[in-house]
Amino acid sequence: MSTSLTAQDFFQQVQDGSALLLDVSPAHAYSKAHPAGSYNVPFHRRGWGQEIKRALNGQTPPLGVFADNTVIAEAAKESLTAAGLSVPFTFDRGVKGWDQEGLPVESVKDLTVDELARNLDNYVVVDVREPYELRSGIVPGAINIPIGQLQGRASELDRSKPHAIICASGNRSASAASWLSQQGLEVANVVGGMSLWMGGRHPVERV
Amino acid sequence: MIFIPIWDGSHGCASFIVGDDADGRAIVVDPLAAIGADTYILSAAEVGLKIVGVIETHVHADHHSIARELAQKTDLLVSMGHKAPLRDAFNPLHDGDQFDLGGVQVTVWETPGHTPDSISLVVTDKTRSSDPWLVLSGDSLFVGDVGRPDLVDPTPESTERAALDQFHSVHDKILSLPDTTELYPAHYGASACGGLFLSPKPISTVGYERRWNRFAQITDPQAFVTEVLSLLKPPPVDASLIRDHNLGSQQSH
């Protein structure tokens, strides 16, 4: 790590609400475990820093980059810096390293497609794909809230029931599930999404 | 399945990222120095994949491998056929070993011939079919050709033995796959590891090669060996140096 700020220092700022910690890992890894209070923005090389700058909407909080690999952490920092954002903290030792620092880790509950099929009656299934994607079939009874509308429509969900969040492959649903979980809902992410649901020959409803 | 071929046309070398988008894990096969270790890490990350295996189909004698650096940067050991005479620690692979990447299954087949440690990787997407979808054939069966048998030990006896191994690897193993199986060898075009009939096209199918590859047409082992030996090109001048580099760090200069 080439930063003078310790993980403890930076985490304190995240808890104060004065800094943002970005977990740049793929959604699968984030879903399994991530630093408490971090946001998942998987890194890519197509203007990633600019995307984050736009999402921040004029705000310029100090940003921390969290990754489990030096190459990815450095590339993410470079992309943010090139977009004019300030990155006083990077961490490249993953969840294991975070845990070794004595800092809290959270996770999103996983649900396999077989577990969901066996307990379908117990879950409200929320499909976060775009409407056109539903033509390939949905889990019977699933409701559709495209991920972009989730913040505005989370109030439609019944807080007394457990929710199974699903998408095409389990990536978007992992992000959605972690956000809903932070809002206090009981949620689980369906691993592998509709790809594994259909691969496992589970029933689909055509819409 | 996510399948990303990464080619270096100047050396006729192929490398691959194979992963499962529904699972988030991937392997990298035959990573190339000309491409750079970081490119593999970032290419995998941005399609949601974490590299959990770095595999070499054999000890290369034609180009510098970057497998060790990539493995180091991803906290892994390089995986190779158990017969590889590597000087560094590696994860030895045996016939039938599998990399389970969720819906995608990668099975190791030992296919000696080009080198004694050569392996091929048979890839199946279980969410589509139990049929193998593609094979990464390393330097066994090429598009239009087969891997040359003389780069490890150029003596006539060793070369002949290796050519006979190659016959069995190609005929009993690779050509036992269904016709629809896609074939992605480690080399094409300008590569020094193929023979006079190596196609500049990097991909084929098992069925196409079964029908049109001259070495697939020869069903007699001895006739195969004779044909391979009679068509050998001169070895690349720096083959032994490159091979020595790829064998590991503790070199005796």
Side-chain angles (χ1 to χ4, degrees):
Chain A
M1 260 185 304
S2 58
T3 173
S4 53
L5 211 53
T6 67
Q8 283 79 8
D9 289 343
F10 191 80
F11 184 67
Q12 190 59 51
Q13 293 182 25
V14 173
Q15 284 194 308
D16 295 345
S18 59
L20 288 181
L21 183 57
L22 308 179
D23 184 335
V24 307
S25 317
H28 291 289
Y30 176 82
S31 170
K32 270 191 204 106
H34 55 263
S38 64
Y39 290 92
N40 187 211
V41 271
F43 176 69
H44 58 77
R45 289 169 295 180
R46 303 173 301 272
W48 181 79
Q50 290 293 343
E51 277 177 18
I52 290 176
K53 188 180 184 176
R54 275 195 296 279
L56 286 170
N57 215 358
Q59 291 173 289
T60 53
L63 300 176
V65 164
F66 176 89
D68 68 351
N69 180 291
T70 314
V71 174
I72 297 173
E74 287 304 317
K77 180 183 178 178
E78 203 178 298
S79 180
L80 292 170
T81 310
L85 297 165
S86 154
V87 187
F89 176 72
T90 60
F91 192 86
D92 61 13
R93 291 185 287 126
V95 166
K96 207 186 263 177
W98 195 253
D99 187 54
Q100 281 165 358
E101 296 288 341
L103 292 166
V105 169
E106 288 172 348
S107 64
V108 179
K109 193 182 156 205
D110 274 351
L111 194 63
T112 67
V113 290
D114 295 336
E115 285 165 352
L116 176 61
R118 281 196 299 274
N119 301 297
L120 202 49
D121 294 342
N122 301 336
Y123 286 99
V124 177
V125 179
V126 181
D127 191 323
V128 297
R129 293 177 297 168
E130 298 305 310
Y132 73 88
E133 296 179 85
L134 307 185
R135 292 174 200 150
S136 61
I138 63 170
V139 174
I143 58 171
N144 177 226
I145 303 181
I147 190 160
Q149 300 175 17
L150 201 58
Q151 286 195 31
R153 293 177 58 189
S155 57
E156 293 173 20
L157 300 173
D158 183 345
R159 298 180 85 83
S160 68
K161 289 182 180 157
H163 293 75
I165 318 298
I166 196 164
C167 66
S169 69
N171 278 308
R172 282 170 286 175
S173 59
S175 296
S178 67
W179 185 80
L180 287 169
S181 169
Q182 285 171 7
Q183 308 311 305
L185 275 88
E186 187 186 345
V187 293
N189 177 42
V190 182
V191 180
M194 290 306 294
S195 164
L196 288 191
W197 179 266
M198 290 194 278
R201 310 283 188 270
H202 294 302
V204 291
E205 191 180 307
R206 302 301 291 263
V207 291
Chain B
M1 184 196 309
I2 290 183
F3 181 70
I4 309 175
I6 301 178
W7 285 299
D8 170 21
S10 61
H11 296 86
C13 293
S15 60
F16 306 93
I17 299 175
V18 184
D20 182 2
D21 51 328
D23 172 84
R25 285 177 292 171
I27 56 165
V28 176
V29 181
D30 290 333
L32 304 167
I35 303 296
D38 294 3
T39 302
Y40 294 97
I41 294 172
L42 296 171
S43 300
E46 69 191 15
V47 288
L49 300 175
K50 182 175 167 62
I51 297 170
V52 298
V54 176
I55 305 175
E56 292 265 76
T57 55
H58 60 286
V59 180
H60 301 285
D62 67 304
H63 65 273
H64 282 187
S65 161
I66 201 141
R68 259 174 291 146
E69 183 188 333
L70 179 59
Q72 205 172 20
K73 287 182 165 177
T74 49
D75 293 324
L76 296 164
L77 275 181
V78 176
S79 297
M80 296 192 79
H82 65 99
K83 289 183 179 152
L86 243 58
R87 288 184 287 255
D88 295 332
F90 70 106
N91 174 37
L93 299 175
H94 296 80
D95 213 39
D97 281 355
Q98 292 188 328
F99 289 83
D100 181 11
L101 308 171
V104 174
Q105 199 166 46
V106 179
T107 306
V108 175
W109 284 7
E110 289 182 32
T111 48
H114 178 63
T115 69
D117 55 284
S118 284
I119 57 167
S120 296
L121 300 168
V122 178
V123 182
T124 303
D125 183 341
K126 294 181 289 182
T127 68
R128 300 282 323 271
S129 165
S130 57
D131 281 352
W133 200 350
L134 62 96
V135 58
L136 306 181
S137 59
D139 284 22
S140 60
L141 183 60
F142 285 147
V143 181
D145 216 320
V146 292
R148 63 190 296 166
D150 62 321
L151 292 187
V152 173
D153 177 355
T155 60
E157 312 79 64
S158 169
T159 302
E160 195 173 330
R161 202 175 330 116
L164 187 60
D165 284 347
Q166 189 70 292
F167 173 83
H168 290 295
S169 292
V170 167
H171 281 266
D172 305 348
K173 295 211 162 160
I174 304 296
L175 291 173
S176 75
L177 289 162
D179 275 352
T180 47
T181 315
E182 294 170 354
L183 180 83
Y184 293 85
H187 292 296
Y188 63 103
S191 168
C193 295
L196 298 171
F197 297 93
L198 183 60
S199 174
K201 184 175 183 299
I203 314 169
S204 186
T205 62
V206 167
Y208 192 92
E209 294 308 308
R210 190 195 311 287
R211 184 177 290 185
W212 302 113
N213 186 312
R214 63 188 296 125
F215 297 100
Q217 304 284 308
I218 308 174
T219 52
D220 174 58
Q222 208 46 55
F224 178 97
V225 170
T226 305
E227 180 76 345
V228 166
L229 298 185
S230 69
L231 290 167
L232 276 184
K233 298 193 292 195
V237 282
D238 46 359
S240 62
L241 279 177
I242 294 174
R243 192 177 142 79
D244 189 62
H245 170 271
N246 288 339
L247 280 171
S249 53
Q250 291 126 47
Q251 296 167 51
S252 49
H253 286 289

